[in-house]
Amino acid sequence: MISGSVRFLVNVESLNGVESVGNLTRHRTAPIVTKTGGEYVIRYVPVISGESIAHAYQMALVDMADKLKLPVTARTRQGELIKFSDDDMLEAEGISPPKKEGKTLNDARRFEVDVMLKDLVADVGGFMYAGGNPVRRSSKFSVGYMIPVLGNGDIPAQLEAQFHVRYSSSKMENQAIFNVEVGSALYTLSFMLDEEKVAVPSNPGPQVEGEKRLQEQKMNRVEAAIKSLYTVLTGNFGGKRSRFLPSMELKSAVVTVTDFPFITEPGHSNDYISLTGDRVKKAKDVLGGKRVLTYAIDREGLNLGSAERISDPEDMIRRLLEEAKKSLENVK
């Protein structure tokens, strides 16, 4: 399992708008709880939703699928991530719906494998068929909201509406006034990728036709899933980028690779990297793990503890790919 936390310094961004009020396009905000003066208080801060980040990650999977010759449906390629949710989608892709009678568990597994063979994004990002006999595959990639760092009672974040005017030079009276709310913050986000479960069906039952093909594609599928993390590590997500491309700088990150479930410390404190290193070692002993690797990028002068220093996101992805290949070779 790969888990990571990242801190970005982001200035003047409108990556996640939620609605228009008159001529104002609002930035998404959310309530958070922080401790100030010994008391817990609620503050509303700019945020970027996990749905927005996950969408960008899954569209990066589409690009990787093309390069690695892996399957993706036309709907997914267009960014319509409805993922085999109804019978019309199944008919369009030539997939038989799961049977309602008989060995339904086995047929759920057959159906899941058929979908995975049709679409890499449904494999890594999961899907939910909501027909007569529902079948679900949980996403192997998890991500939460990107929120401002909550440290020492202060929240380094601010929202401001920027005034703009559209007009016609030939008719000056044709003016359209609009305001876009932009945010600036030191943000943090956390993510997980269960790369070991990629290309592995989750529904119970004996092996079905198609699983061998999935195993033959496993390394390419894992490679696509890991390379797509580059989108997360470099902040290449969110909307309204054509005219509000943010000034975004990766300040620090910690990423762990384990053979047991583990979530890195969120980047709210300046010792989140060293805390992650300490915790993952203890978790290995408690859970009987055999593999623990901790990597860190630091451009803030933080305490890295036992984490291995990595220079940039490109080297981080390279190391994760090397470890994934070693792990798969050991399994063979």
Side-chain angles (χ1 to χ4, degrees), residues 20-72:
S20 293
V21 181
N23 65 353
L24 171 65
T25 301
R26 293 181 55 193
H27 193 292
R28 182 180 294 276
T29 61
I32 56 91
V33 177
T34 185
K35 197 171 187 179
T36 302
E39 295 183 351
Y40 288 101
V41 296
I42 294 178
R43 296 285 185 266
Y44 280 82
V45 297
V47 297
I48 297 162
S49 75
E51 289 285 356
S52 174
I53 300 168
H55 183 86
Y57 173 80
Q58 290 175 97
M59 293 314 295
L61 277 174
V62 173
D63 292 337
M64 287 297 117
D66 289 341
K67 293 175 181 177
L68 295 171
K69 295 181 173 53
L70 293 169
V72 175

Side-chain angles (χ1 to χ4, degrees), residues 75 80-98 111 115 127-135:
R75 284 278 184 90
E80 299 178 14
L81 304 181
I82 60 175
K83 297 181 183 175
F84 307 89
S85 57
D86 57 30
D87 290 331
D88 290 340
M89 180 69 176
L90 299 187
E91 184 177 356
E93 295 299 332
I95 296 178
S96 300
F111 176 77
V115 169
F127 68 89
M128 175 66 188
Y129 169 68
N133 183 30
V135 175

Side-chain angles (χ1 to χ4, degrees), residues 35 40 49 106 120 132 143 193 197 210 214 224 235 248 253 256 271:
K35 197 171 187 179
Y40 288 101
S49 75
N106 291 352
L120 171 68
V143 66
L193 173 65
K197 298 294 178 61
L214 281 176
M248 180 177 286
T256 61
D271 58 352

Side-chain angles (χ1 to χ4, degrees), residues 145-172:
Y145 270 56
M146 189 161 82
I147 69 173
V149 169
L150 312 175
N152 302 319
D154 296 323
I155 304 175
Q158 187 65 49
L159 285 170
E160 180 69 25
Q162 298 294 309
F163 178 86
H164 299 269
V165 178
R166 292 193 182 98
Y167 70 93
S168 169
S169 58
S170 59
K171 294 183 178 181
M172 290 299 293

Side-chain angles (χ1 to χ4, degrees), residues 147-296:
I147 69 173
V149 169
L150 312 175
N152 302 319
D154 296 323
I155 304 175
Q158 187 65 49
L159 285 170
E160 180 69 25
Q162 298 294 309
F163 178 86
H164 299 269
V165 178
R166 292 193 182 98
Y167 70 93
S168 169
S169 58
S170 59
K171 294 183 178 181
M172 290 299 293
E173 68 271 15
N174 292 343
Q175 295 185 350
I177 295 172
F178 65 101
N179 296 270
V180 177
E181 199 169 47
V182 298
S184 294
L186 177 62
Y187 282 114
T188 183
L189 70 85
S190 297
F191 65 88
M192 292 186 301
L193 173 65
D194 194 352
E195 82 285 4
E196 294 182 355
K197 298 294 178 61
V198 171
V200 178
S202 58
N203 281 275
Q207 188 173 10
V208 299
E209 184 179 354
E211 289 189 46
K212 185 177 180 180
R213 286 172 56 199
L214 281 176
Q215 285 305 305
E216 291 171 351
Q217 298 175 4
K218 186 175 177 69
M219 187 60 244
N220 281 356
R221 287 172 177 255
V222 170
E223 180 179 346
I226 291 176
K227 284 185 175 180
S228 296
L229 290 177
Y230 186 71
T231 291
V232 179
L233 291 174
T234 55
N236 189 17
F237 46 75
K240 217 170 180 65
R241 298 175 68 91
S242 61
R243 295 297 181 268
F244 288 84
L245 186 66
S247 174
M248 180 177 286
E249 181 183 358
L250 172 64
K251 301 301 292 184
S252 60
V254 62
V255 176
T256 61
V257 181
T258 62
D259 57 355
F260 52 85
F262 182 80
I263 303 176
T264 53
E265 286 288 313
H268 293 299
S269 65
N270 287 336
D271 58 352
Y272 81 103
I273 294 176
S274 59
L275 283 175
T276 294
D278 293 341
R279 279 189 51 234
V280 75
K281 289 180 179 178
K282 294 178 181 178
K284 177 185 177 183
D285 294 337
V286 170
L287 300 176
K290 296 180 180 179
R291 183 173 63 147
V292 167
L293 299 166
T294 307
Y295 304 121

